[in-house]
Amino acid sequence: MIDLKLLAYLEEFISENRKQRFNEILAQRTNYLTVAVEDVFQMHNTSAVVRSCESFGVQTAHLIEDRNGQHLDEEIAMGAQKWVDIKRYQNSKQVIDSLREKGYKIVATSPHAHSSLLQDFNLDGKTALFFGTEKNGLSDYVLENSDAYLKIPMVGFTESLNISVSAAIILQHLTTKLKSSEVDWKLTDEEIFERRLDWTKKSIKSIDDILERYKSDN
């Protein structure tokens, strides 16, 4: 339920500049494109991927923590975890099933022989990009249950890039392509409201006390 009265009340505790900044950033946010990171061993890499999501306007990141689940490295994420919705899963099947129910196409980023080159890849529907572990890449389960495959073209001896570098390159390219298209890629009004409310709460000191006061008065 959208509580506009609560949002208006809480926004009295933040500056007009901050409210304007929230609106400007949310106007560039998307859930049309989302990211899933599978069981990354080096948590600074996961944190860097979340940072890239925030930088390029991807609102939601899905973290699959089968064996190597840890907390995000806040120094690497640079606060991005406050502004990106982080969803956690115990295994890859959970996230694929959940995303498929929401209408996402599952895309494995992999140097697979049949992968589409990044510049040729078409965003022809809601897309979930899967990134795998540093050493072994994506699991067989993800590769076997993906709808498409995507790779970054390279011309050197190196056959792969660090996951955080790959994510940054792919997200920059695809978000630019998406925003120049005629696709309705923006957040819904309800999604924007939910993020405004969440971000406003995160911007207020003693938010628990203020919420209690609001409940008492209403």
Side-chain angles (χ1 to χ4, degrees), residues 31-92:
N31 274 323
Y32 191 89
L33 188 66
T34 194
V35 165
V37 181
E38 187 184 45
D39 212 23
V40 174
F41 181 73
Q42 300 282 350
M43 282 311 295
H44 68 270
N45 281 327
T46 302
S47 299
V49 173
V50 171
R51 186 176 176 184
S52 292
C53 286
E54 204 284 323
S55 298
F56 297 118
V58 175
Q59 184 55 41
T60 307
H62 308 265
L63 308 186
I64 305 158
E65 302 169 325
D66 188 7
R67 297 184 302 274
N68 302 314
Q70 299 177 37
H71 294 294
L72 289 175
D73 185 332
E74 294 186 4
E75 290 186 6
I76 302 296
M78 298 293 287
Q81 69 277 5
K82 289 177 62 178
W83 316 117
V84 172
D85 298 333
I86 306 295
K87 299 186 182 297
R88 300 176 186 273
Y89 305 80
Q90 292 184 340
N91 58 63
S92 299

Side-chain angles (χ1 to χ4, degrees), residues 6-169:
L6 173 60
L7 177 60
Y9 174 77
L10 293 179
E11 285 184 334
E12 294 176 3
F13 295 89
I14 64 174
S15 68
E16 286 297 324
N17 285 340
R18 197 156 184 80
K19 286 191 287 186
Q20 181 178 348
R21 187 65 177 143
F22 284 170
N23 288 331
E24 290 171 351
I25 290 173
L26 285 168
Q28 296 298 319
R29 282 289 205 259
T30 187
N31 274 323
Y32 191 89
L33 188 66
T34 194
V35 165
V37 181
E38 187 184 45
D39 212 23
V40 174
F41 181 73
Q42 300 282 350
M43 282 311 295
H44 68 270
N45 281 327
T46 302
S47 299
V49 173
V50 171
R51 186 176 176 184
S52 292
C53 286
E54 204 284 323
S55 298
F56 297 118
V58 175
Q59 184 55 41
T60 307
H62 308 265
L63 308 186
I64 305 158
E65 302 169 325
D66 188 7
R67 297 184 302 274
N68 302 314
Q70 299 177 37
H71 294 294
L72 289 175
D73 185 332
E74 294 186 4
E75 290 186 6
I76 302 296
M78 298 293 287
Q81 69 277 5
K82 289 177 62 178
W83 316 117
V84 172
D85 298 333
I86 306 295
K87 299 186 182 297
R88 300 176 186 273
Y89 305 80
Q90 292 184 340
N91 58 63
S92 299
K93 184 179 186 304
Q94 285 182 347
V95 67
I96 287 178
D97 289 348
S98 175
L99 289 169
R100 279 233 167 88
E101 287 179 3
K102 295 178 175 66
Y104 282 93
K105 179 164 97 172
I106 307 302
V107 178
T109 59
S110 167
H112 189 279
H114 301 294
S115 295
S116 170
L117 293 176
L118 178 58
Q119 65 266 30
D120 299 327
F121 186 78
N122 292 318
L123 289 163
D124 52 4
K126 293 169 64 177
T127 300
L129 300 167
F130 277 68
F131 295 89
T133 59
E134 293 84 353
K135 185 176 181 180
N136 299 317
L138 288 164
S139 68
D140 289 341
Y141 184 84
V142 172
L143 293 174
E144 291 167 3
N145 286 276
S146 292
D147 303 306
Y149 304 88
L150 173 65
K151 65 181 176 183
I152 298 169
M154 289 180 285
V155 295
F157 291 109
T158 304
E159 293 183 351
S160 64
L161 295 169
N162 177 278
I163 175 181
S164 60
V165 175
S166 296
I169 292 171

